[in-house]
Amino acid sequence: MNRRTFRHAVLSLGIATSTLVAAVAAPAYARPDHPAPAPAVASPVFAITDGVARQVAVTDRAELTRLGVAAASGPVDLLAAGVDARLAGDLRVANQRLLVAKGLPGGTGSLLRLRLAHPDMRAALARGEAPLVAAVPTDDSAPSVRAYDRSGATVVLDAARVPQRPVLVVDVDTERALTAGLALMRQELGARGIDRAAPARPATRTSGVGASAGYWATKVNAVRLSDDEEPWIKGDAEIYNLVAGFGLDGKVKVDLVQMPYLDHDGTTYYPNQLLVHFSSYKYNLADVVMMEDDGDTNYSSLVKAIAGALLVIVDGGAYTPLVNAILDAIPTSWYTDDPDFVDAWYTLSTASSGRKNGAGGNGWMDVTPYWVEQF
């Protein structure tokens, strides 16, 4: 099931889950109707990177060759690439616009990078073939990719087939953007009264070797996302999770948990990573919403939307799953032309163990309870 179309299936599953979990109390969150997705609109991030791609394509031939050689060895920070003064000035302006489009502070630094679209293109580049330059399209289902040649003319490429001609890709440094974006989100959520579920309530466990203080957590032993056969121009994913539950005070708590290793669909990873920390939760349940920054996430808009949705939820005396509230808060347009939402897991508990499929069918996690012991 394509990630851009299964949101409604996730929410439908969530209704049934909410009904079962909160059967003894009125739900704290009233789910609104979900309209059909609006028509896709051009991403402001793509508009910026596409403009930069054309500027790079028409730069001096020797300059482009030098950038291509550098990009063949790894991603190049365009603001630090030592290009001519005119292009350097244009790149600085574009980077500032990019920071605004992603809702990030001005001090985040350079987000513009240049990379080779596919390793198989190195040989053609080494032979001196003039590269095309393209930006990563927002729509993963688009049948074509728009690239630019030395004259600035548009060259249309098949999105499903790696071209023989080398292609340099103007991309967003999503690793840097995600680090800055999550820091911003933690700060803004905290300022609005939505704190992290930091360890706060040690428990005691008795075993064969005596009693120990600590708390229960959910550990991810393995995780895998479905192979969606994304176009060749796409780079690595940057995956993070919103882990939400009710705190001891009855207010919603949110942890933001990165999965920096989860780069590709169709690959199983074995992180042994702690995902849910139950020490600060009132109930023995928490929800997980997995997200991806594929370049065009606006963190300022995202955190405002999520905070606005979660602040109106009150503890009704029984656990109410929070996935629906989070998904409702995310702009509908995010589901029409990009996969910022990946999947969701409802009501993980301290007893959750084994293979847990995402509600949208786009991934699974093998989890196990883990006792975090105090020193």
Side-chain angles (χ1 to χ4, degrees):
M1 185 182 294
N2 191 286
R3 277 182 280 174
R4 291 172 291 113
T5 60
F6 66 56
R7 179 196 185 205
H8 293 284
V10 174
L11 291 166
S12 297
L13 287 170
I15 297 172
T17 305
S18 301
T19 302
L20 289 171
V21 174
V24 297
Y29 171 67
R31 177 180 175 271
D33 293 333
H34 293 275
V41 294
S43 160
V45 169
F46 176 72
I48 296 166
T49 55
D50 183 64
V52 171
R54 190 179 186 282
Q55 288 177 298
V56 172
V58 300
T59 193
D60 178 76
R61 183 183 296 274
E63 190 93 278
L64 185 60
T65 299
R66 182 178 65 82
L67 289 173
V69 171
S73 300
V76 174
D77 180 351
L78 279 174
L79 264 64
V83 296
D84 66 76
R86 180 175 180 178
L87 179 57
D90 290 341
L91 292 174
R92 285 193 296 270
V93 171
N95 190 70
Q96 289 303 312
R97 292 174 56 212
L98 190 57
L99 292 174
V100 172
K102 291 188 66 62
L104 294 174
T108 299
S110 175
L111 294 184
L112 284 170
R113 66 177 186 174
L114 189 73
R115 60 178 173 82
L116 190 63
H118 196 278
D120 292 348
M121 297 175 179
R122 290 194 181 106
L125 201 62
R127 290 195 300 268
E129 292 191 29
L132 300 170
V133 187
V136 179
T138 305
D139 187 354
D140 285 354
S141 63
S144 62
V145 171
R146 182 169 69 197
Y148 298 100
D149 64 15
R150 283 277 304 121
S151 69
T154 299
V155 179
V156 178
L157 303 172
D158 187 341
R161 182 179 302 173
V162 178
Q164 294 184 346
R165 187 171 178 180
V167 180
L168 300 178
V169 179
V170 175
D171 205 353
V172 174
D173 186 341
T174 51
E175 182 178 358
R176 173 174 286 185
L178 180 60
T179 299
L182 294 189
L184 173 71
M185 289 181 67
R186 291 186 182 104
Q187 178 181 345
E188 292 299 318
L189 287 171
R192 288 168 169 79
I194 301 176
D195 297 322
R196 303 170 63 180
R201 184 181 60 176
T204 301
R205 182 182 71 157
T206 303
S207 64
V209 295
S212 63
Y215 66 91
W216 284 105
T218 297
K219 181 164 71 76
V220 179
N221 293 325
V223 58
R224 182 184 179 95
L225 300 181
S226 300
D227 186 355
D228 282 350
E229 298 182 356
E230 291 185 331
W232 51 266
I233 198 170
K234 293 286 286 187
D236 292 343
E238 288 294 338
I239 299 293
Y240 63 101
N241 299 276
L242 286 82
V243 181
F246 287 94
L248 301 177
D249 56 3
K251 297 180 181 179
V252 174
K253 303 288 185 183
V254 175
D255 278 336
L256 301 173
V257 181
Q258 288 182 253
M259 289 183 165
Y261 48 85
L262 218 171
D263 291 331
H264 303 288
D265 291 344
T267 303
T268 302
Y269 297 89
Y270 302 91
N272 292 318
Q273 179 182 19
L274 297 184
L275 180 62
V276 186
H277 300 266
F278 287 98
S279 63
S280 290
Y281 287 149
K282 178 178 180 180
Y283 302 103
N284 182 30
L285 295 168
D287 294 338
V288 175
V289 176
M290 183 179 286
M291 304 285 289
E292 172 188 358
D293 183 346
D294 65 337
D296 62 352
T297 301
N298 184 303
Y299 289 97
S300 180
S301 296
L302 177 61
V303 70
K304 290 175 183 176
I306 290 175
L310 296 182
L311 282 171
V312 301
I313 300 176
V314 295
D315 178 18
Y319 185 77
T320 300
L322 300 168
V323 170
N324 289 6
I326 294 172
L327 296 188
D328 283 338
I330 298 171
T332 304
S333 62
W334 286 24
Y335 298 97
T336 63
D337 61 354
D338 63 75
D340 292 294
F341 165 63
V342 178
D343 214 327
W345 284 261
Y346 286 83
T347 55
L348 293 177
S349 75
T350 54
S352 294
S353 182
R355 179 69 51 86
K356 301 297 179 184
N357 294 312
N362 193 56
W364 54 258
M365 294 188 293
D366 279 345
V367 300
T368 188
Y370 187 85
W371 178 253
V372 180
E373 189 171 345
Q374 283 189 340
F375 286 116

